[in-house]
Amino acid sequence: MKRYFVILLTVLFALCAYSQRDMYRYSLDFTLGAKHFVDTIPIEYINHQLYVNVWIDGRKYRFCIDTGSSQGIIYRNGNVPFGEVLGRVQSRDANNRIDTIHAVRYPDFRLGHLYIRGYSGSLLHQYNRNAPYDAIIGFDLFNKGLWAKIDTRAGYMVLTDMKGVLSHERGYVMKYHLERFVPHIDVSPYPKCSDDALFDSGSRRLYVMNRERMLSWAEEKRDFASQIEGSGTDSRIYGAHGAERHGTTYYMWLDDVVMGGYHFSDYHTSTTRGHSRIGGQLLQYGALVINPKRKQLIFQPYDGAQQTSVGNEQTSIAFSDIDGRAVVTMVWQGGRHYTAGFRKGQVLVSIDQYPVNSWDDYARFRFLDGREYTFTVYDRDGRIRQIVAQR
């Protein structure tokens, strides 16, 4: 019996060793084609996301700078070719959903005047084929030691490996620490409340709050309930591995959100079952310096003021993938979409004259800000309704 037990342990150990051998681990082994350089790179800032152009074999592609991703992301059904498979990697997205996927080698590419060789990233399926970018560059670009100044108003990003170039920059300092190789900073959404938030430029909204953390504050602080507008049941925030878990979402109207001493007032937001996070909307209000040596984000408000009144509208509708169809999974009763006639459970049939027979059809549709559309939906009782509204 003992002999068979030893054999079993040996087999299990061998299987474990084989499995670990196939796992790819976070690496900064990519190489930069220059030293002691300063480059000014044109950027695009569209719908609160940050894009740069890169060149591969003379062809131009658009990459998204996503600080919430530890490494790059490339798509098996996308436009960018990829090289060797490096192994499997356990990937966790901003919603805390985990999947085991493959890591692959990017082709060599040029960013500004800088050649980057041996860069790696996760290989995913791109569900939104209408996304305005071809691949993602992650925070490893800065973990490699590169400094950056991102100025969306001027339309450029300064990138350098020389600390003296940007070390004189001043502003509101947000110290960050790395968790799973991505930056987290302290945010105060209410007096004497400190929230550990992921700085995720791939996420569009200025700030969303972890639901469990919010509920703990609501229990501890008598006046915190004044910041809650209402609640609903939905799953509407998508990460790399799909939508967050279905559950109760709380809608917040925050008097004051403080980041590094800078104040954002009159801000509507909501909770998430994933990480609290600061999104790319931050770049609308000021330039941002990334200092990897001191692990600092330095925010420089464009207007030179000490605070900004956001005055945004509460998110009032969400569609989710339910059995392959685009279904209304959240409608804010205090919002314009509810007033227009949207109700939870409606199945989207068409937008204007464009048929929506699947979630992929909906994901490929490109909405324009400020434009009204005619949405045709099936109500829960099977009746067809037409609703005119902005997205």
Side-chain angles (χ1 to χ4, degrees):
M1 184 68 180
K2 183 177 179 181
R3 175 187 171 192
Y4 290 117
F5 181 71
V6 171
I7 293 174
L8 178 61
L9 284 178
T10 302
V11 171
L12 290 174
F13 179 81
L15 288 173
C16 181
Y18 179 82
S19 176
Q20 291 299 317
R21 186 185 65 185
D22 191 39
M23 293 297 289
Y24 173 78
R25 300 192 180 278
Y26 182 79
S27 172
L28 298 174
D29 287 344
F30 61 93
T31 59
L32 307 175
K35 292 184 178 180
H36 310 300
F37 72 92
V38 182
D39 200 1
T40 301
I41 300 168
I43 58 175
E44 296 176 278
Y45 183 62
I46 303 172
N47 198 13
H48 298 149
Q49 286 195 315
L50 184 65
Y51 305 114
V52 293
N53 290 326
V54 306
W55 280 260
I56 300 172
D57 293 331
R59 182 178 175 184
K60 184 172 71 173
Y61 298 88
R62 179 191 271 172
F63 281 14
C64 177
I65 303 291
D66 184 354
T67 59
S69 178
S70 60
Q71 293 185 289
I73 296 176
I74 201 168
Y75 300 103
R76 62 167 59 90
N77 59 331
N79 300 318
V80 180
F82 54 88
E84 63 176 312
V85 175
L86 302 172
R88 296 174 300 150
V89 60
Q90 190 179 77
S91 173
R92 183 193 303 265
D93 69 11
N95 290 328
N96 275 331
R97 296 190 61 161
I98 301 174
D99 196 7
T100 300
I101 56 179
H102 284 100
V104 296
R105 187 79 69 192
Y106 276 48
D108 296 346
F109 63 90
R110 177 168 62 85
L111 172 61
H113 295 94
L114 181 66
Y115 283 91
I116 299 178
R117 299 179 174 87
Y119 189 75
S120 59
S122 301
L123 180 64
L124 297 177
H125 180 84
Q126 189 172 30
Y127 292 100
N128 183 3
R129 294 301 304 276
N130 204 32
Y133 57 88
D134 299 298
I136 283 173
I137 297 175
F139 199 71
D140 51 350
L141 186 68
F142 309 107
N143 285 339
K144 183 76 171 175
L146 296 186
W147 295 53
K149 180 176 181 177
I150 300 166
D151 189 324
T152 61
R153 181 170 291 185
Y156 67 79
M157 174 175 67
V158 175
L159 197 64
T160 180
D161 63 346
M162 297 191 295
K163 64 179 182 179
V165 174
L166 296 174
S167 60
H168 65 283
E169 298 284 341
R170 298 294 179 263
Y172 294 87
V173 176
M174 298 175 280
K175 290 282 294 183
Y176 69 82
H177 63 277
L178 295 175
E179 290 186 18
R180 297 181 66 87
F181 312 107
V182 289
H184 288 246
I185 69 171
D186 287 333
V187 177
S188 177
Y190 194 72
K192 298 182 180 179
C193 291
S194 180
D195 190 8
D196 180 52
L198 167 66
F199 173 53
D200 181 7
S201 63
S203 177
R204 291 183 169 88
R205 300 178 68 188
L206 176 66
Y207 171 63
V208 294
M209 186 187 304
N210 174 265
R211 185 186 65 173
E212 301 308 316
R213 195 163 294 145
M214 186 281 295
L215 290 174
S216 69
W217 290 330
E219 289 183 2
E220 295 171 5
K221 300 188 179 298
R222 180 181 305 173
D223 297 331
F224 189 85
S226 65
Q227 308 294 290
I228 303 173
E229 288 189 284
S231 63
T233 304
D234 64 82
S235 58
R236 61 188 181 86
I237 298 180
Y238 275 74
H241 305 313
E244 64 182 354
R245 299 185 304 277
H246 196 76
T248 302
T249 295
Y250 293 88
Y251 301 96
M252 317 293 296
W253 189 357
L254 300 176
D255 296 330
D256 191 28
V257 181
V258 184
M259 304 180 190
Y262 191 82
H263 297 255
F264 293 94
S265 61
D266 187 16
Y267 178 61
H268 287 90
T269 187
S270 61
T271 60
T272 173
R273 281 159 291 284
H275 292 294
S276 294
R277 51 191 180 268
I278 299 164
Q281 189 179 357
L282 177 68
L283 302 174
Q284 173 184 333
Y285 301 105
L288 190 72
V289 176
I290 301 175
N291 178 343
K293 182 175 179 60
R294 293 189 174 182
K295 291 186 169 58
Q296 292 177 345
L297 306 177
I298 304 172
F299 178 69
Q300 301 172 329
Y302 291 130
D303 60 8
Q306 296 179 342
Q307 64 177 14
T308 291
S309 178
V310 180
N312 62 317
E313 183 183 19
Q314 180 63 269
T315 300
S316 62
I317 192 168
F319 292 87
S320 296
D321 183 355
I322 306 294
D323 297 327
R325 298 299 299 267
V327 179
V328 178
T329 53
M330 182 279 289
V331 188
W332 172 239
Q333 292 189 12
R336 53 186 170 84
H337 290 99
Y338 188 89
T339 301
F342 281 106
R343 296 296 183 268
K344 188 175 177 179
Q346 290 170 335
V347 179
L348 189 57
V349 177
S350 68
I351 307 171
D352 289 343
Q353 301 302 314
Y354 176 80
V356 181
N357 298 315
S358 67
W359 171 257
D360 286 342
D361 289 340
Y362 172 74
R364 280 191 290 267
F365 193 89
R366 180 168 292 180
F367 292 97
L368 299 177
D369 289 341
R371 178 182 166 183
E372 287 191 335
Y373 298 87
T374 299
F375 296 82
T376 303
V377 298
Y378 280 122
D379 280 336
R380 283 184 168 180
D381 59 7
R383 291 185 297 180
I384 292 181
R385 176 192 294 264
Q386 288 191 331
I387 303 169
V388 178
Q390 296 180 15
R391 173 62 180 89

